[in-house]
Amino acid sequence: MPLNIRTYRDLTEADRSGLVDQIVAQRRRVADRLATVRRVLAVLSGKGGVGKSFVTAGLARALVRGGRATGVLDADFNGPTIPSLLDLPVARSTFHDDAIEPAMSPEGVRCFSMALLLEDGRPLAFRGPETEGHVWRETLEAAALREFLADVAWGTLDQLLVDLPPGVQRFQELTELLAVPPAVLAVTIPTAESRDAVRRALHGAVERKARLLGVVENMVGGPFTGSAADELAAEFGIPVLARIPWHPTPDVWDAIALSVRSTS
Amino acid sequence: MKFLCVECDRQMQFEERQLPGDGTLAAAFRCPACGRTVALLTNPMETQLVASLGVKIGGTTIEPQPMETVRGMVTTGRDDAFDDGKGETGTGKSPRPAWSPEAQERLARVPNFVRGMVKRIYLDYAKERGIAEITPAIMDTARTELGLEEM
């Protein structure tokens, strides 16, 4: 005779652990912190080595030059490069009330990155059981993303650019943490291989109901040939916001910033 | 995660948490009707998964510190990553608790990357409870009550 056991959802009494409440409080903290951020913009490609961070940093600088308050959250925890690209010296992070002050680039871009926290040359490593680290490591990185959003005093921003690592997992984590999906700026190089990887990432973004702002084609005019940006633009019905040559001048970045501003 | 006393058909309530310090966790739950207690024992992997979510079985009484999960879990952080000076007084209105020499010695063994945060957590805990001096025993109690693994 089987026991007549009520199910999880049948049990509704409050419990001191309140694990669900703790998760809700975490999300509320993210929402409260970002209440003064007009737009979160995810810079995504799905492909490594196409210059996402390079584009993110150049765009952020140009947006600030154009008078837009801009922050960059470096979400590539295992290969963080944004501070270096923004000419940010590694310095101690300071506290202000219940949050950590973002670093400020010479031009005025606010930034937070794992590169500001890690020992020079050391990989991101977590405390935990030595075996089966893959089971919990991604969860910890998602927690780090949450804390970078919620615990940095971003202040009032026109946009917070989130520089994503290759793949789509961090984008999915970001989407789950935000009240509304972030706007997406796709970065590709001209090749068919890049096009295919970015296409997967963009389909992932569409499935998450993110607004696609457009595609930026990087490393144009060099050894990489193809028409990835045009093909992606046609497939997803989005504009090619810029084609960045190998040695872009400030006016190239200013033009991209203008295009991005026009999408807000 | 919930526990049901099948005999009484009542949801069991969290009673106590223990962190033996070997990466495992014990949480006791009691039936409000018959008083029967059961203990949930998690292995290091399960404990880690809960910690990775930034939540604490049994809840916590103090506000989370900024970057609490990152600071508590990253082992390759720079010693001088954070300037904790401004936050060392903790929160609350009661006088700042003192540190016994033994507690100071124990705190000194905590890596710099996380030490400032750990210090603030213990100060907040002591101030909330009107504790005048923080000793290793107080640190142990706080660690268990607040669910601070390895701090």
Side-chain angles (χ1 to χ4, degrees), chain A:
Chain A
M1 180 81 175
L3 294 168
N4 184 21
I5 300 174
R6 286 191 287 162
T7 66
Y8 180 92
R9 293 184 196 284
D10 291 333
L11 303 185
T12 54
E13 289 177 43
D15 180 77
R16 205 180 102 189
S17 280
L19 295 182
V20 173
D21 293 339
Q22 290 184 54
I23 297 286
V24 169
Q26 290 175 352
R27 300 297 161 92
R28 194 182 313 121
R29 194 172 162 88
V30 171
D32 290 347
R33 182 69 62 198
L34 298 181
T36 52
V37 174
R38 203 159 61 84
R39 178 163 74 165
V40 176
L41 201 166
V43 182
L44 161 154
S45 82
K47 179 90 178 78
V50 300
K52 282 181 302 299
S53 302
F54 181 69
V55 169
T56 304
L59 172 61
R61 283 178 147 145
L63 286 165
V64 166
R65 271 200 303 278
R68 299 298 168 122
T70 302
V72 178
L73 189 161
D74 186 351
D76 190 347
F77 301 139
N78 294 289
T81 53
I82 289 291
S84 169
L85 290 164
L86 289 174
D87 296 324
L88 265 169
V90 172
R92 284 179 185 232
S93 296
T94 57
F95 291 88
H96 179 76
D97 293 332
D98 64 340
I100 292 168
E101 287 291 327
M104 185 79 84
S105 80
E107 298 99 329
V109 178
R110 289 169 230 178
C111 165
F112 205 77
S113 168
M114 198 59 86
L116 301 172
L117 306 182
L118 295 179
E119 287 178 48
D120 189 30
R122 298 287 307 280
L124 173 62
F126 294 108
R127 175 168 60 76
E130 289 181 4
T131 57
E132 309 295 335
H134 63 279
V135 174
W136 46 263
R137 187 180 169 97
E138 197 59 47
T139 316
L140 269 175
E141 291 191 13
L145 178 64
R146 171 177 53 76
E147 292 188 339
F148 275 29
L149 289 166
D151 295 346
V152 175
W154 293 110
T156 301
L157 291 177
D158 289 302
Q159 49 250 308
L160 175 63
L161 309 183
V162 181
D163 181 34
L164 295 167
V168 292
Q169 184 146 351
R170 193 63 39 81
F171 172 78
Q172 291 168 345
E173 292 159 2
L174 177 66
T175 304
E176 285 165 12
L177 286 166
L178 300 176
V180 293
V184 168
L185 181 68
V187 179
T188 185
I189 59 174
T191 66
E193 293 77 14
S194 177
R195 175 203 62 205
D196 292 345
V198 176
R199 174 188 285 144
R200 292 180 200 282
L202 285 178
H203 277 299
V206 169
E207 284 166 12
R208 294 277 172 156
K209 300 188 175 12
R211 180 186 171 207
L212 308 183
L213 297 186
V215 58
V216 170
E217 196 168 57
N218 192 26
M219 304 184 198
V220 173
F224 302 122
T225 57
S227 51
D230 287 328
E231 291 172 46
L232 289 167
E235 179 173 347
F236 290 93
I238 55 177
V240 178
L241 293 176
R243 299 181 203 277
I244 303 175
W246 277 85
H247 299 290
T249 50
D251 58 304
V252 171
W253 296 116
D254 290 341
I256 299 172
L258 205 58
S259 299
V260 169
R261 283 169 58 176
S262 71
T263 62
S264 61

Side-chain angles (χ1 to χ4, degrees), chain B residues 6-147:
Chain B
V6 176
E7 209 160 275
C8 304
D9 195 28
R10 290 289 302 272
Q11 182 175 337
M12 300 181 90
Q13 295 296 308
F14 173 80
E15 185 83 1
E16 185 181 326
R17 167 182 48 213
Q18 291 183 7
L19 297 166
D22 59 357
T24 67
L25 176 143
F29 293 78
R30 184 185 296 275
C31 172
C34 69
R36 179 173 296 155
T37 304
V38 297
L40 163 74
L41 308 177
T42 63
N43 65 33
M45 178 73 67
E46 293 157 345
T47 310
Q48 179 80 352
L49 266 175
V50 174
S52 304
L53 291 169
V55 298
K56 295 182 175 71
I57 291 177
T60 183
T61 57
I62 63 172
E63 286 293 306
Q65 296 288 323
M67 302 261 168
E68 186 167 318
T69 307
V70 168
R71 297 187 75 178
M73 303 300 274
V74 170
T75 57
T76 46
R78 277 186 14 249
D79 275 353
D80 60 348
F82 294 100
D83 180 1
D84 285 298
K86 290 177 188 169
E88 283 187 4
T89 52
T91 59
K93 291 176 182 164
S94 42
R96 189 177 179 185
W99 291 79
S100 75
E102 297 79 12
Q104 284 182 12
E105 191 182 316
R106 185 156 146 186
L107 190 65
R109 291 200 296 269
V110 176
N112 271 351
F113 185 69
V114 69
R115 187 185 303 150
M117 182 184 83
V118 170
K119 191 173 180 180
R120 273 203 308 278
I121 290 172
Y122 285 132
L123 280 168
D124 285 352
Y125 175 85
K127 287 173 81 173
E128 270 192 358
R129 288 157 181 77
I131 295 167
E133 185 183 46
I134 299 171
T135 62
I138 295 291
M139 293 167 86
D140 284 339
T141 308
R143 194 173 148 271
T144 298
E145 280 189 26
L146 301 175

